[in-house]
Amino acid sequence: AVLGHVAKAVEQKEDCRRSYGKELPDVIDEKFSCDYDRFKLRIERGRGCKFTHRVEGDCTYVIEAPADVIFEHVAVRETIRNYIRRLVREEARRYLPARMEYYSVKTGLPYNKCEVKPLTRCLGLFYPRSKNIFLDPSIILHTQDSLDSVIVHELCHNISTGHGKKFHDALLQYGGEMLYKANMSHHNETFPIY
């Protein structure tokens, strides 16, 4: 029975990895585009002599590459990857604190400050004394349910600092069954873009 539960958990995690994982291709050219739940990325060949970007509509980031750029060059690929990382962080810093505030009000679970910064081995951190929360920008690449589940997860550390029964009960109570399942399927998983 235990092996069955373990096999099911591994299978759920693999399904999650397949549905969320959007690795960048080796060569990114003017045909490149990437659609996430929260925003879209696209590359166009521009008229200028340097990389620039603009935002179209609500959440479409368009990177304009120089007119004479050769996409196959390693330095160009790294420049584009760094640009994409910067835009992901920009979108995360714009969206995640507002989403944290929304769930704090909705659940009644307080926090002091929400900061978005790259984390090494987790998607979020909660400091119980200061009630400060740190979120990894890569969660902006998750589905909306998965992103929300990380936020509710961190807020539930107000109830319990560990991950025992009391914490899981709070997560189920404040996040509901859908966010609870989303949280369990991507526990501490980061994205290859970071």
Side-chain angles (χ1 to χ4, degrees):
V2 171
L3 290 176
H5 287 294
V6 169
K8 188 175 181 182
V10 168
E11 185 179 318
Q12 285 176 334
K13 192 156 190 157
E14 286 303 315
D15 286 346
C16 173
R17 213 176 258 132
R18 280 190 293 276
S19 65
Y20 298 151
K22 298 190 179 187
E23 295 186 39
L24 297 178
D26 288 336
V27 177
I28 299 172
D29 57 19
E30 61 257 56
K31 296 179 190 107
F32 172 82
S33 69
C34 206
D35 296 347
Y36 297 101
D37 275 13
R38 284 292 317 136
F39 70 106
K40 296 175 175 39
L41 285 166
R42 192 172 80 232
I43 293 181
E44 290 178 357
R45 197 177 285 272
R47 295 189 183 112
C49 57
K50 62 181 185 176
F51 282 94
T52 60
H53 79 278
R54 68 180 189 276
V55 181
E56 287 183 350
D58 188 24
C59 291
T60 300
Y61 289 90
V62 180
I63 299 170
E64 288 187 5
D68 60 349
V69 73
I70 300 170
F71 286 102
E72 289 78 17
H73 285 174
V74 174
V76 170
R77 288 194 301 236
E78 194 54 36
T79 299
I80 293 171
R81 287 172 194 276
N82 287 336
Y83 220 103
I84 290 171
R85 286 184 189 102
R86 194 175 93 203
L87 294 177
V88 167
R89 285 193 298 268
E90 193 176 296
E91 178 63 17
R93 287 186 182 120
R94 184 189 72 76
Y95 181 74
L96 295 177
R99 198 68 178 165
M100 178 65 71
E101 182 62 23
Y102 167 80
Y103 271 104
S104 179
V105 169
K106 182 178 178 180
T107 62
L109 297 171
Y111 73 99
N112 181 37
K113 180 173 71 169
C114 175
E115 265 188 58
V116 178
K117 68 177 201 171
L119 303 172
T120 52
R121 285 177 284 197
C122 58
L123 298 173
L125 289 172
F126 176 82
Y127 290 94
R129 283 191 181 169
S130 63
K131 295 206 182 296
N132 289 339
I133 294 176
F134 295 93
L135 298 172
D136 188 87
S138 71
I139 68 170
I140 200 75
L141 306 177
H142 285 233
T143 62
Q144 189 67 49
D145 284 347
S146 182
L147 182 155
D148 289 344
S149 75
V150 173
I151 289 171
V152 173
H153 176 113
E154 297 311 323
L155 286 170
C156 283
H157 280 303
N158 278 291
I159 307 296
S160 172
T161 55
H163 292 99
K165 181 176 177 2
K166 190 175 179 183
F167 173 81
H168 283 274
D169 290 346
L171 190 57
L172 193 55
Q173 176 187 348
Y174 292 108
E177 193 171 325
M178 189 162 34
L179 293 188
Y180 181 80
K181 284 181 181 176
N183 192 268
M184 293 300 104
S185 67
H186 68 72
H187 184 66
N188 283 344
E189 187 167 315
T190 54
F191 273 82
I193 193 170
Y194 277 88

